[in-house]
Amino acid sequence: MDIDAGSEPIAHVFGDDGGIIRLGTSDHGEIRGIDPFVSYTGPHDTAFTSHIIDLCRLLLEANDTPENRVMTSREQRDLDDAIMATLEIGNPSLRSFRYMLAHLPNDLKEKFQRWMGGGVYDGIFNAKHDGLGDSRKRIGIINLHKFKETQRVIKPVLMDLFYRVTTLFEDPALRHVPKQLDVDESHLPLSVPGFSERLISKARTWRKHLSGITMWTQGAQDYKSIPDWDVLRGAATQFVFLADPKMDEDLYMDTFKISPGVVNMIRHLQARKEAVIVQPDLDVAKVVRLITEPEQYIINTSHPREAAERDALMKEYGPEEGLRRATALHLARIIPKDVATDSCVK
């Protein structure tokens, strides 16, 4: 599962095994929101109750005034009562975040007004129907592009998504199935209060669930600025570095605790053709060659021209023929410069 800006072709190429989930307002004006209560599994699900409480605290951070970002002791009890009353509803269609917000006392309800009907974030968490759908696809992308620049929204959205992924990956019925979570622009979720602690905890325990986590970002400073980076770095089993000819060598060595020799390997990588893999526990660092099929390049490219060209061709000719035509155009551009089977990878 990949939490990213997403790529439309993934759902087409992998058919029923692939899916893409978009949150926010679609191009047709349809609001795809979240109902966190769909994750509730039953009366003994205390983890879910804690998740909802944490989520509500994060939602309050969208308020501008300090007094509206916190709850009094009485308001905390009122929230607990509203959560428990919602969980006790037998009809799943009424057991919703929308219902819980509507049944808060007026003074506390006012603090959540931005997330309720008529509020600026209406439809995101108080959705009439949960917009995530089936998350048990073999290959899935969660597209958060609409929220990428809205910190007040992206943080609680990521918190709920990670809770869902955790529940899915730790499902005893799926323990024998290998699972991998890839998070692009990982400095965003790692900036969510408490997220890095949860991530570290899962990084240490998910191996027994045949699950793993890969975090991607643009540079060393993105990781260096994370408050719990030292702990997270210690939990990582592998680092993958792409070319960075303008790298700050001291920053790399301080951030990742790598040697000058490894830094030199990174500096001399061929852009988009090579990578350095470092496994700290084994004291291994190796340069690897990146080779992919042209079709995979087209599916995953974020190059503005090629991505727009690909999407237009797939829309006009259908997934298979559109992909074939986009790949042919890509090969026509690179063959004079390189071998088709040695095309660039992002």
Side-chain angles (χ1 to χ4, degrees):
M1 179 176 288
D2 182 18
I3 298 178
D4 188 10
S7 177
E8 182 71 38
I10 196 80
H12 295 307
V13 173
F14 293 98
D16 292 338
D17 286 334
I20 182 170
I21 299 166
R22 283 189 174 85
L23 294 176
T25 305
S26 70
D27 296 336
H28 304 292
E30 176 189 2
I31 297 178
R32 294 186 178 95
I34 295 173
D35 179 14
F37 275 77
V38 299
S39 299
Y40 180 59
T41 60
H44 302 293
D45 194 352
T46 55
F48 174 78
T49 305
S50 297
H51 168 63
I52 289 295
I53 293 172
D54 290 342
L55 185 61
C56 287
R57 291 196 187 103
L58 200 53
L59 293 178
L60 290 181
E61 291 187 7
N63 293 322
D64 296 324
T65 56
E67 61 271 18
N68 284 332
R69 296 193 197 113
V70 297
M71 290 181 284
T72 66
S73 297
R74 174 59 185 273
E75 289 171 337
Q76 290 179 40
R77 291 195 297 271
D78 289 337
L79 176 63
D80 291 347
D81 291 343
I83 292 172
M84 298 311 297
T86 304
L87 295 179
E88 290 171 358
I89 298 174
N91 186 344
S93 65
L94 298 177
R95 194 170 57 231
S96 66
F97 201 73
R98 186 184 186 92
Y99 177 94
M100 188 209 75
L101 290 176
H103 285 76
L104 292 173
N106 288 333
D107 56 343
L108 182 53
K109 187 185 299 182
E110 185 66 25
K111 293 186 177 183
F112 287 96
Q113 189 56 50
R114 284 184 165 177
W115 303 96
M116 300 177 67
V120 292
Y121 304 132
D122 182 18
I124 297 177
F125 279 95
N126 64 327
K128 293 182 180 179
H129 304 286
D130 185 66
L132 290 189
D134 183 11
S135 60
R136 291 177 178 253
K137 297 286 188 179
R138 290 185 178 273
I139 298 175
I141 286 179
I142 301 175
N143 187 314
L144 303 179
H145 180 69
K146 297 286 185 180
F147 301 146
K148 188 174 181 180
E149 303 302 328
T150 311
Q151 291 290 311
R152 290 175 171 179
V153 176
I154 195 69
K155 289 183 177 182
V157 166
L158 284 168
M159 175 178 280
D160 190 65
L161 290 178
F162 189 68
Y163 180 81
R164 296 187 190 211
V165 170
T166 298
T167 302
L168 177 66
F169 280 24
E170 296 181 359
D171 185 345
L174 298 176
R175 188 167 185 173
H176 65 290
V177 179
K179 299 166 288 288
Q180 186 73 19
L181 172 65
D182 284 279
V183 184
D184 199 7
E185 304 291 349
S186 60
H187 58 283
L188 287 176
L190 290 172
S191 68
V192 177
F195 188 92
S196 59
E197 292 93 329
R198 298 183 186 202
L199 187 68
I200 292 166
S201 173
K202 299 308 175 185
R204 290 172 173 168
T205 62
W206 268 6
R207 295 181 192 179
K208 64 183 180 182
H209 298 283
L210 276 184
S211 302
I213 307 171
T214 304
M215 311 293 288
W216 301 96
T217 194
Q218 297 296 322
Q221 187 59 49
D222 288 341
Y223 287 128
K224 180 69 174 177
S225 59
I226 298 169
D228 298 314
W229 167 242
D230 287 345
V231 180
L232 183 59
R233 183 191 62 234
T237 59
Q238 182 169 280
F239 295 97
V240 178
F241 299 98
L242 299 181
D244 187 359
K246 297 181 180 180
M247 66 190 302
D248 182 328
E249 296 185 1
D250 291 335
L251 177 62
Y252 266 74
M253 287 189 287
D254 184 46
T255 301
F256 301 106
K257 305 304 179 188
I258 53 179
S259 68
V262 174
V263 169
N264 188 57
M265 292 168 67
I266 299 170
R267 178 177 289 282
H268 290 91
L269 288 173
Q270 294 187 59
R272 297 177 294 180
K273 294 185 179 182
E274 293 179 323
V276 170
I277 296 179
V278 177
Q279 295 177 302
D281 293 345
L282 301 177
D283 195 25
V284 170
K286 185 174 181 59
V287 176
V288 297
R289 186 79 171 165
L290 301 176
I291 301 175
T292 188
E293 302 93 336
E295 292 83 1
Q296 284 293 334
Y297 172 86
I298 290 300
I299 290 171
N300 292 286
T301 185
S302 58
H303 187 284
R305 181 189 62 197
E306 292 187 323
E309 189 176 72
R310 172 202 65 203
D311 294 346
L313 288 170
M314 293 180 75
K315 182 177 181 180
E316 181 177 357
Y317 295 102
E320 294 185 9
E321 178 61 18
L323 178 60
R324 188 192 69 77
R325 288 173 179 255
T327 302
L329 289 173
H330 167 65
L331 289 174
R333 295 187 186 105
I334 69 169
I335 283 177
K337 302 177 182 179
D338 210 337
V339 179
T341 55
D342 191 21
S343 57
C344 296
V345 179
K346 178 184 175 183

